[in-house]
């Protein structure tokens, strides 16, 4: 049985596999990353004029337990609604999942500490209703504005982040270190938490400070600086082992909450330098090595398998749309 959760929800599923885009809108081409306009305070740890590579401190030990949390998302189908006034709104039916890996460094063991799956129908349509097909449920997430199709995938981030917070909260214990794959965003209030940004899209530092970053040897970091972005926060770059000779090879950016004191942020920076390199991947195992950390890669595979068969879900959504129109 397929049905909407309420009346007035007439929609159509685009026949194209969402992996190939849609039949009604071409994907836009992205340009090269531009320097960020964010204000940067580079004098947090050392004066900007004295910036240099910082080695791991011998008196800093990695925590006994490290939690790594990540989320995945997938567009199951692109849809269109048919409004009573003759108008139409685009939408996406998306599945997403979040999980956390508990790495016990004393035992040398890693276990899945929790994982959850969510789904949603994201659209600006005022008449759209939840889609229910047997045990499959796509609750409506109403987005603001005109709901352009190109902007809908970004709307999945908020519920995915909430799911990541829920699974990580359930797995935390005193004294652990939580590493979030990606920027912290709204998770900055979580204690002893690092945002791990493995792909660098923005240039936050000037050329002279960037030269310190690109000159880092594996196992070194740059000094802590403060970003004046919308989310704010302390940040630093470090280079993972096993990277090639390119200037930014193996470089990741790590961040922590701006609510911390400067001393606490520097303490976390030192902790990251003795912790994160232990999880660096190798090229023969992962094409995104060394930045895609080994536990994260395994977690991503597990989470994607939990999303369900994409082709089956597309058929389920198509059948639900036909049932709505009866």
């Amino acid at each position: 049985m397929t049905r909407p959760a309420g009346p007035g929800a007439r929609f159509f599923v685009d026949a194209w596999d969402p992996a190939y885009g849609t039949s009604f809108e071409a994907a836009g081409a992205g340009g090269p990353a531009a320097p960020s306009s964010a204000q940067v305070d580079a004098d947090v740890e050392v004066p900007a004029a004295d910036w240099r590579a910082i080695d791991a401190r011998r008196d800093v030990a990695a925590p006994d337990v490290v939690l790594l949390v990540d989320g995945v998302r997938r567009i199951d189908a692109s849809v269109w609604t048919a409004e009573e006034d003759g108008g139409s709104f685009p939408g996406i039916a998306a599945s997403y999942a979040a999980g956390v890996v508990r790495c016990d460094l004393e035992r040398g063991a890693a276990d899945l500490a929790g994982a959850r799956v969510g789904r949603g129908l994201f659209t600006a349509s005022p008449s759209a209703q939840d889609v229910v097909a047997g045990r499959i449920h796509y609750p409506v997430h109403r987005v603001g504005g005109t709901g352009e199709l190109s902007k809908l995938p970004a709307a999945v981030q908020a519920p995915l982040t909430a799911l990541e917070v829920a699974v990580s909260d359930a797995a935390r214990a005193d004294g652990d270190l939580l590493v979030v794959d990606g920027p912290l965003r709204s998770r900055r209030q979580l204690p002893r938490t690092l945002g791990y940004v493995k792909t660098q899209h923005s240039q936050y530092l000037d050329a002279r400070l960037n030269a310190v970053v690109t000159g880092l040897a594996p196992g070194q970091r740059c000094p802590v600086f403060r970003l004046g972005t919308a989310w704010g926060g302390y940040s630093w770059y470090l280079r993972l082992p096993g990277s090639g000779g390119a200037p930014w090879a193996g470089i990741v950016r790590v961040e922590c909450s701006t609510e911390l004191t400067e001393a606490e942020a520097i303490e976390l920076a030192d902790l990251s330098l003795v912790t994160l390199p232990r999880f660096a991947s190798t090229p023969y195992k992962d094409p995104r090595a060394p930045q895609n950390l080994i536990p994260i890669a395994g977690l991503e595979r597990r989470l994607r398998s939990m999303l369900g068969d994409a082709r089956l879900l597309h058929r389920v959504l198509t059948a639900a749309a036909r049932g709505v129109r009866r």
Side-chain angles (χ1 to χ4, degrees), residues 65-69 98-104 110-116 166-173 176 178 299 302-303:
V65 174
V66 179
L67 301 176
L68 295 102
V69 62
V100 57
V101 176
R102 185 181 187 276
C103 299
D104 188 325
D111 303 291
L112 181 66
R116 293 175 58 185
V167 296
S168 57
D169 281 351
R172 298 214 71 174
D176 63 17
L178 178 66
L299 177 59
R302 179 68 176 271
L303 293 176

Side-chain angles (χ1 to χ4, degrees), residues 72 97 112 115 296-307:
V72 300
L112 181 66
I296 291 294
L299 177 59
E300 286 178 344
R301 290 192 295 270
R302 179 68 176 271
L303 293 176
R304 293 191 189 283
S305 70
M306 294 175 61
L307 294 181

Side-chain angles (χ1 to χ4, degrees), residues 4-11 121 125-132 138-140 142:
R10 190 181 184 199
F11 72 99
L121 176 64
S125 166
S127 67
Q129 302 292 320
D130 294 5
V131 177
V132 180
Y138 286 85
V140 169
R142 209 142 348 243

Side-chain angles (χ1 to χ4, degrees), residues 37-107:
S37 59
Q39 293 184 341
V40 175
D41 178 7
D43 299 318
V44 172
E45 186 169 5
V46 298
D50 298 330
W51 261 45
R52 53 177 173 75
I54 297 176
D55 293 301
R57 291 174 46 185
R58 295 183 178 180
D59 60 339
V60 176
D64 294 336
V65 174
V66 179
L67 301 176
L68 295 102
V69 62
D70 193 16
V72 300
R73 54 186 174 180
R74 186 188 66 206
I75 298 176
D76 296 330
S78 300
V79 307
W80 286 95
T81 67
E83 307 298 322
E84 291 184 358
D85 62 2
S88 183
F89 288 88
I92 58 172
S95 295
Y96 50 94
V100 57
V101 176
R102 185 181 187 276
C103 299
D104 188 325
L105 300 186
E106 283 192 327
R107 295 192 300 116

Side-chain angles (χ1 to χ4, degrees), residues 64-318:
D64 294 336
V65 174
V66 179
L67 301 176
L68 295 102
V69 62
D70 193 16
V72 300
R73 54 186 174 180
R74 186 188 66 206
I75 298 176
D76 296 330
S78 300
V79 307
W80 286 95
T81 67
E83 307 298 322
E84 291 184 358
D85 62 2
S88 183
F89 288 88
I92 58 172
S95 295
Y96 50 94
V100 57
V101 176
R102 185 181 187 276
C103 299
D104 188 325
L105 300 186
E106 283 192 327
R107 295 192 300 116
D111 303 291
L112 181 66
R116 293 175 58 185
V117 175
R119 306 189 199 276
L121 176 64
F122 297 82
T123 180
S125 166
S127 67
Q129 302 292 320
D130 294 5
V131 177
V132 180
R135 292 180 298 174
I136 304 300
H137 183 200
Y138 286 85
V140 169
H141 293 260
R142 209 142 348 243
V143 302
T146 57
E148 299 95 327
L149 182 65
S150 62
K151 297 181 180 180
L152 292 177
V156 184
Q157 186 60 52
L160 175 55
T161 297
L163 206 60
E164 291 178 357
V165 171
V167 296
S168 57
D169 281 351
R172 298 214 71 174
D174 292 340
D176 63 17
L177 177 68
L178 178 66
V179 179
V180 174
D181 190 57
L184 288 177
R185 295 189 179 94
S186 58
R187 295 164 288 197
R188 295 185 179 277
Q189 79 283 0
L190 301 178
R192 287 175 63 82
T193 300
L194 299 177
Y196 177 82
V197 183
K198 56 178 175 279
T199 303
Q200 311 309 316
H201 296 293
S202 301
Q203 299 178 29
Y204 294 109
L205 306 175
D206 61 32
R208 184 178 59 83
L209 299 183
N210 267 337
V212 175
V213 175
T214 57
L216 295 174
Q220 291 182 326
R221 68 171 177 87
C222 77
V224 174
F225 56 95
R226 184 186 289 109
L227 284 176
T229 59
W231 290 109
Y234 296 99
S235 193
W236 58 94
Y237 293 96
L238 63 82
R239 190 187 295 272
L240 298 170
S243 53
W248 286 89
I251 296 289
V252 297
R253 186 173 66 83
V254 189
E255 60 182 30
C256 65
S257 173
T258 192
E259 296 178 5
L260 301 174
T261 66
E262 293 183 355
E264 290 170 331
I266 294 169
E267 180 182 346
L268 280 176
D270 286 333
L271 192 62
S272 73
L273 195 54
V274 299
T275 303
L276 296 178
R278 303 177 66 147
F279 302 115
S281 52
T282 54
Y284 75 91
K285 289 184 176 180
D286 194 323
R288 291 179 290 172
Q291 288 98 319
N292 200 40
L293 303 180
I294 292 173
I296 291 294
L299 177 59
E300 286 178 344
R301 290 192 295 270
R302 179 68 176 271
L303 293 176
R304 293 191 189 283
S305 70
M306 294 175 61
L307 294 181
D309 187 284
R311 293 171 297 180
L312 177 60
L313 289 169
H314 192 277
R315 290 198 296 269
V316 166
L317 286 162
T318 301

